[in-house]
Amino acid sequence: METEKIIEIENLMVEFKSRGAKRHRALDALTLTLARGESLSVVGESGSGKSTLLRSVVALIPAAGGKISLFGKELAAASRRELTALRRRCGYVPQDPYGAIPPGLSVIEAVMEPEIIAGTKRTKAERRARAEALLAEAGLSGERILASRAVGLSGGQRQRVELARALMLEPELLLCDEPTSMQDASTRGEIIEILRRRAEKGMSMLFVTHDLLLAARAAQKIIVLKDGRLCESGESKEVLNAPRHPYTKALLEALPRVSRL
């Protein structure tokens, strides 16, 4: 039996207007698929198209060409109501945690908010218990932290709040945009383990990073983007230990000397 395809992208092109009315192609002829329970890291430098890909997957950025299907539904043919339903099956961890958490909410309220908006049938006590469990899993506990506003948190703490918030609705697909960029080595490993546990339970994931080693730890497969184009793809161990494209080799050489997988 064929595994369900969560994401199917064919010849995707995304363009933005630049100065002088010129158009910049952020993604160019990109094709990929992601199956249920599969994790994929998207690697590249700033401006390679990584974040654009994540936003395109949930139709936050329109495609200039090609086709994107999410949970079997072609996005170009989806109504507004269908898009809302599709997005509710996804979790999103944004790149910038400073502007993502509603400033008027406490940490516990911010994590509960997605369920409140979605109108789930959990009681208030059940909702709070789930939020507390997710925060504790991310290394955040204690009444002082739970009652804090975003302004009182470090960047790393905000990223972990955003992860708990993204997992609140038990997403089938998690989109992570540099979710460990403000973490130290220990908490970075803890976050990767949280994501791995969800993948083992069937959650699919797109994990964006500029760090090739972290990409290999986070996901089963890797694609490497350069200037919006796919230059390499494969199993994580294969890409890390035997890169084929010169750009991938350059990314690997730029990393500190560490043991490979």
Side-chain angles (χ1 to χ4, degrees), residues 208-225:
V208 158
T209 180
H210 65 278
D211 185 328
L212 196 54
L213 181 63
L214 183 63
R217 289 175 174 170
Q220 302 155 329
K221 295 181 179 180
I222 289 173
I223 63 169
V224 181
L225 296 181

Side-chain angles (χ1 to χ4, degrees), residues 3-260:
T3 306
E4 179 189 358
K5 296 293 188 298
I6 300 300
I7 300 172
E8 294 178 274
I9 295 176
E10 184 179 342
N11 292 320
L12 175 63
M13 288 188 292
V14 176
E15 294 182 339
F16 297 114
K17 286 184 180 179
S18 57
R19 289 183 179 179
K22 292 183 179 179
R23 301 194 72 82
H24 166 67
R25 185 162 290 179
L27 290 173
D28 191 0
L30 180 64
T31 295
L32 66 85
T33 61
L34 184 73
R36 181 169 294 281
E38 190 173 57
S39 53
L40 174 68
S41 284
V42 185
V43 184
E45 296 173 311
S46 295
S48 62
K50 307 185 303 297
S51 297
T52 298
L53 172 59
L54 287 194
R55 294 172 67 81
S56 298
V57 163
V58 286
L60 294 176
I61 294 177
K67 182 174 74 172
I68 306 176
S69 292
L70 182 62
F71 300 110
K73 178 68 178 180
E74 188 174 347
L75 295 185
S79 66
R80 183 171 296 183
R81 172 179 273 184
E82 287 171 328
L83 279 177
T84 298
L86 290 171
R87 288 169 180 159
R88 281 187 177 173
R89 299 170 70 179
C90 304
Y92 186 78
V93 184
Q95 184 176 22
D96 176 15
Y98 285 98
I101 302 172
L105 299 182
S106 66
V107 165
I108 190 69
E109 289 168 341
V111 176
M112 291 191 296
E113 186 186 43
E115 275 210 351
I116 295 170
I117 293 172
T120 62
K121 295 181 180 179
R122 284 192 179 99
T123 64
K124 185 176 180 179
E126 291 170 339
R127 191 173 290 142
R128 183 181 176 94
R130 173 163 174 76
E132 287 182 355
L134 286 169
L135 286 164
E137 186 180 9
L140 297 174
S141 59
E143 192 53 43
R144 184 182 66 82
I145 286 288
L146 299 186
S148 296
R149 299 293 193 270
V151 70
L153 303 177
S154 68
Q157 288 173 324
R158 293 185 197 206
Q159 281 190 319
R160 283 177 273 155
V161 171
E162 278 299 329
L163 176 60
R165 184 175 160 91
L167 293 174
M168 190 67 184
L169 288 174
E170 302 179 63
E172 297 170 62
L173 171 64
L174 187 65
L175 306 172
C176 297
D177 197 350
E178 300 276 10
T180 63
S181 60
M182 297 183 182
Q183 306 298 320
D184 59 28
S186 62
T187 53
R188 189 178 300 125
E190 290 168 4
I191 287 175
I192 295 302
E193 284 306 310
I194 291 171
L195 298 176
R196 282 180 172 172
R197 287 195 292 271
R198 295 306 188 285
E200 288 171 359
K201 295 178 181 179
M203 183 188 77
S204 304
M205 178 176 68
L206 280 183
F207 184 95
V208 158
T209 180
H210 65 278
D211 185 328
L212 196 54
L213 181 63
L214 183 63
R217 289 175 174 170
Q220 302 155 329
K221 295 181 179 180
I222 289 173
I223 63 169
V224 181
L225 296 181
K226 178 174 173 52
D227 299 327
R229 295 188 67 90
L230 179 67
C231 65
E232 183 149 8
S233 65
E235 298 291 328
S236 294
K237 289 184 180 180
E238 174 190 341
V239 173
L240 190 65
N241 291 314
R244 298 183 301 275
H245 195 279
Y247 177 64
T248 311
K249 293 177 182 178
L251 288 176
L252 190 58
E253 288 169 2
L255 291 172
R257 290 186 174 274
V258 289
S259 348
R260 297 187 185 180

